[in-house]
Structures are given as structure tokens and as C-alpha cells.
Amino acid sequence: MQKVILLSSFLLLGCAQNTPSHPPVGGFLSEKDLNTSKNRAKNLNETERGQIRYWIENQTEKFYPMNLNYWVNIENLQQNPKKNDGDDISYEYDIYDFDQAKLYEKPKRNINVRFGHFEELKAVEDVLRYLPTNSEATLLVPSVLAFGTYGDNEKIPNDMPLIIKIKVL
């Protein structure tokens, strides 16, 4: 009889409705949910930065941290003149994972776009402001500055840090 009562208790507990971990679409996040999300993002960023630093240590090419929380293979890049909103730029870039597999066959290319008026990954926009015409750079970008929690719904999954090879045309 005790076994039946014990088994019944476990079944009732197993059937109990759990509180949702995410609010419904259009719902509001509680303070607890906001803190959970913030801590997850912070921990993920710290983990990825550690993984990227480890990857850098095993490369022959040197990479340098930028203020926006990514790395670039050009020392003192931020000492170059900075382009302003309203300036035009043409560029292209390829995206790789950290196994150095190219994720898209063709580079993403933008011709004569104006700073302050185009949507781009934050790290790409930041490095473009310092790169002179006909120059190239390699960026190491944590997922939070890339496609983040949702990926790009094509070839880049969620929370994936990227290598971006960019050229100013």
C-alpha cells in the first residue's frame, strides 16, 4: 500500500504544471526573468571571450582587442581617422566559423552605403569607420555582436561567435 501511495505521489508531482520559463509572446518580463536573461548573456559573453582568447593564443597571426568587445588583426586601428555619419563606404565581407569554414558561398557586399543610414553588425560598422579604402581586416566577433540568440535563420545558429574577413572597396 505504501508503494502505491508513493508512486501516486510521484505521478501527481510529475503532472503538476510547471511555471513557464519565458512569458508568452507579447507578455512582460518580470524582474527575475530580466535578471536571468542578463546573467545568461553576461556568462555567455565571458565564456565566448575566453574561448576566442584561447583561439588567438594558438594562431600565428596577432589580434588586438577593440573597445566594442571584438578583436581585429590590425594593431592600433582606432588611431586611424574615424569616418562620420553621412560618409559613404563600399565594402564586402565573408563570414566563417571558428573552424574557419566559410558559411556563405558569396560575400555580403554593400556599395555606396552611408554611415548612420544602414543596418549592419555592430562590429562590422565599427571596424569600417577606421579602415581606409582598399584595406582588409579580420574580425573575431562574439555572438552578442554577431547574430546573437537567434542566429540568422539560415546558416548561422544561435549564440555563434564568428570570424569576419572584411574589405573596403
Side-chain angles (χ1 to χ4, degrees), residues 15-151:
C15 293
Q17 184 176 4
N18 293 329
T19 57
S21 60
H22 302 287
V25 174
F28 294 98
L29 291 172
S30 69
E31 188 70 30
K32 181 182 175 187
D33 291 334
L34 287 171
N35 286 333
T36 299
S37 177
K38 186 169 119 179
N39 288 334
R40 179 194 176 278
K42 179 182 174 185
N43 291 337
L44 178 63
N45 191 34
E46 287 175 9
T47 299
E48 286 181 0
R49 287 182 58 78
Q51 291 168 337
I52 292 171
R53 280 192 294 270
Y54 177 78
W55 186 87
I56 290 170
E57 290 171 6
N58 293 296
Q59 304 303 307
T60 55
E61 185 174 22
K62 293 201 180 278
F63 288 88
Y64 307 92
M66 295 289 283
N67 290 340
L68 195 59
N69 195 19
Y70 67 95
W71 290 261
V72 68
N73 65 335
I74 300 172
E75 189 172 15
N76 300 318
L77 180 63
Q78 291 176 306
Q79 292 179 1
N80 289 349
K82 184 177 179 182
K83 295 173 187 77
N84 298 310
D85 283 350
D87 291 347
D88 288 337
I89 191 164
S90 296
Y91 62 95
E92 67 181 22
Y93 62 89
D94 287 300
I95 301 174
Y96 299 80
D97 64 18
F98 271 81
D99 291 327
Q100 299 188 40
K102 192 173 181 179
L103 298 177
Y104 288 95
E105 187 176 318
K106 294 182 179 180
K108 178 174 172 112
R109 183 175 219 174
N110 286 305
I111 305 297
N112 295 326
V113 292
R114 190 164 289 199
F115 280 107
H117 298 283
F118 67 96
E119 295 285 325
E120 194 53 84
L121 299 175
K122 296 292 183 197
V124 168
E125 182 176 350
D126 187 60
V127 80
L128 285 171
R129 289 190 181 265
Y130 297 101
L131 282 175
T133 303
N134 297 320
S135 62
E136 298 180 20
T138 300
L139 290 67
L140 309 177
V141 184
S143 65
V144 70
L145 292 175
F147 291 92
T149 303
Y150 301 104

